[in-house]
Amino acid sequence: MSASENWETHKRVLCEVQEKQKVLHDLATSHDGDEPCTGARLQCAKAKFANLKLEYIELLIKKKLMNYLENVPQEEWSSAGVTTEDFKETRRDLKKTKAEMQTTEEEIQEMIAKANTAQEEFESKLKLLQSKLESIEQKRNKLSQLQTERSSGLSHDQLLQQRSALQKAESMLSSYQTSVVQHKQEISKLAEAKEAMQALLEDARPNLEKMKMERAAEMSREQCMETWCTNTLQKLSHLSGIKEHSLHGNNLTLELTSPSDTPVNGLLTLKFKDGEPPASQWRLNDAEINIESLDIADLINEAVRMNDVVFLVTQVKSRLYSHAPLRHEIETLRNRYALDWLSDEGVITVILGDKGQVVCSLSVDAGYPGMGSIKLTSVEGLHEQIALESFQPEIESPTITDWLDYLHNKVTSG
């Protein structure tokens, strides 16, 4: 069959299809849709039309193919391999296009979701803004109403009073502005004075630094002098044997030290009281020393009568110096003998003998050891009576130690 005959056959088939399509359309439009038979026929016609449509599409493809074969020379026809490659390339492009379309569709869906979310937020904010605008509008209307009521409720006199008050306020504001100008001028003057003072300060700064250095040097000299005075006072206290011990209330305690060969220290407490007018000076009221064997009652009475602290301190120190050897000697003898020293009476009682059965008493003169002497006053507990005159150390001007050693040897040997 030639190409022209094929073309005529396809043309005839297409014409039949078109006529059948027209008949189907007429059937669909000429009968009432409520009748059952018409609806069934319409459904059948539609199914038949679908089949005819597919045949029509196939015929169109064949028509285009026949036109290509009729119009294109055989030399220019594509080979099967080229067609297959073109088809594969077309399929690859189609898959790629589908993938891109899918990706684009997903992006579009995501953008639509974001747009919907943004739209919802925008609508929510718009509603909130509208509610706020409505609230502001209500408040504005209420304020306008209140202003209207207030202006309508004010009388003429009240308006005049407000106007008068406003004028007074403007007058006060004007006066305040004048004061502000004056204050600004004063501030400007003060700033100039401040600059002048700063200039003077800068000029005086070198002198001030010099004075600071001189003051520091003076303080250093004073500190050195204070150190020297303290050291000197300590040396004088050591040389004089008098130094301050403590001060409590009206009582001042001095520490008196004896010479180093007979070291005996005493604490002399001076008690003061307020003086009587008109002098109203401190007066010596009493004194005491922590050495029971040193009697200074006569010195205290005389010093209180004369209110002479120097007299009391010097006399007590002199008596302590003279008393120190006696006290030192007695304290040393206590380690060797069982003795008792009655300082008020000037009597030393000592227990001697192998069994401690002999008791001897010695009388010590007030001037001992410088001027006073020692005298044996009694010996008790001997087996036989011996005259006191027979007890006499062979040493001239014996001391208490000489006496006790002599008596100890005498009683023990006897």
Side-chain angles (χ1 to χ4, degrees), residues 16-44:
E16 290 177 0
V17 172
Q18 290 177 354
E19 287 178 359
K20 289 178 181 180
Q21 184 179 6
K22 183 179 181 182
V23 171
L24 182 61
H25 183 267
D26 292 339
L27 287 172
T29 57
S30 62
H31 298 283
D32 190 3
D34 297 333
E35 296 180 3
C37 58
T38 305
R41 287 196 300 270
L42 182 59
Q43 293 295 329
C44 293

Side-chain angles (χ1 to χ4, degrees), residues 78-121:
S78 301
S79 62
V82 175
T83 304
T84 303
E85 290 297 329
D86 293 341
F87 177 71
K88 290 182 178 180
E89 185 177 358
T90 303
R91 287 187 65 182
R92 287 195 297 269
D93 294 341
L94 181 60
K95 289 182 179 180
K96 183 178 180 182
T97 305
K98 285 183 178 180
E100 292 177 355
M101 287 178 63
Q102 185 176 359
T103 303
T104 305
E105 184 178 358
E106 292 176 356
E107 293 177 354
I108 291 173
Q109 292 295 334
E110 185 178 357
M111 293 174 66
I112 289 172
K114 291 182 179 179
N116 290 334
T117 304
Q119 184 178 3
E120 291 176 359
E121 293 179 357

Side-chain angles (χ1 to χ4, degrees), residues 230-268:
T230 302
N231 295 333
T232 303
L233 180 61
Q234 292 177 354
K235 292 179 181 179
L236 291 176
S237 298
H238 177 71
L239 294 174
S240 62
I242 302 172
K243 65 179 180 179
E244 181 181 350
H245 181 271
S246 62
L247 175 64
H248 298 286
N250 296 342
N251 298 337
L252 173 62
T253 302
L254 301 177
E255 183 177 355
L256 307 179
T257 58
S258 62
S260 57
D261 55 347
T262 55
V264 177
N265 297 338
L267 297 179
L268 176 63

Side-chain angles (χ1 to χ4, degrees), residues 15 32-33 70 92 100 102 110-111 140 151 153 179 182 278 293 301 312 336 379 393 414:
C15 290
D32 190 3
E70 183 178 3
R92 287 195 297 269
E100 292 177 355
Q102 185 176 359
E110 185 178 357
M111 293 174 66
R140 188 180 66 81
S151 59
S179 300
Q182 293 177 356
S293 59
N301 294 332
L312 178 61
R336 297 172 56 193
V379 177

Side-chain angles (χ1 to χ4, degrees), residues 51-67:
N51 295 329
L52 292 173
K53 186 175 181 181
L54 293 174
E55 293 177 1
Y56 173 71
I57 293 171
E58 185 178 357
L59 290 173
L60 285 177
I61 293 171
K62 290 180 179 181
K63 177 184 175 182
K64 290 184 179 180
L65 179 60
M66 295 302 295
N67 286 334

Side-chain angles (χ1 to χ4, degrees), residues 197-329:
M197 291 294 292
Q198 288 180 347
L200 291 175
L201 181 60
E202 293 296 331
D203 294 339
R205 194 178 299 277
N207 295 331
L208 182 60
E209 294 296 333
K210 183 178 179 180
M211 291 176 64
K212 287 182 178 179
M213 294 176 63
E214 293 177 353
R215 177 59 179 166
E218 184 66 24
M219 291 179 65
S220 177
R221 287 194 296 270
E222 291 179 357
Q223 187 175 4
C224 293
M225 183 61 69
E226 182 179 358
T227 304
W228 181 85
C229 290
T230 302
N231 295 333
T232 303
L233 180 61
Q234 292 177 354
K235 292 179 181 179
L236 291 176
S237 298
H238 177 71
L239 294 174
S240 62
I242 302 172
K243 65 179 180 179
E244 181 181 350
H245 181 271
S246 62
L247 175 64
H248 298 286
N250 296 342
N251 298 337
L252 173 62
T253 302
L254 301 177
E255 183 177 355
L256 307 179
T257 58
S258 62
S260 57
D261 55 347
T262 55
V264 177
N265 297 338
L267 297 179
L268 176 63
T269 301
L270 305 176
K271 302 179 181 181
F272 296 89
K273 67 176 182 179
D274 292 336
E276 298 179 357
S280 299
Q281 294 179 354
W282 289 94
R283 292 187 59 85
L284 181 63
N285 185 42
D286 195 3
E288 62 183 20
I289 194 167
N290 65 337
I291 302 176
E292 297 180 357
S293 59
L294 181 61
D295 184 14
I296 59 172
D298 57 335
L299 299 178
I300 294 174
N301 294 332
E302 186 65 18
V304 170
R305 185 184 66 81
M306 298 186 301
N307 191 29
D308 194 342
V309 177
V310 176
F311 166 79
L312 178 61
V313 173
T314 54
Q315 292 299 320
V316 170
K317 186 182 71 171
S318 176
R319 187 167 295 185
L320 176 64
Y321 284 3
S322 62
H323 178 73
L326 173 61
R327 179 179 175 83
H328 178 68
E329 186 177 7

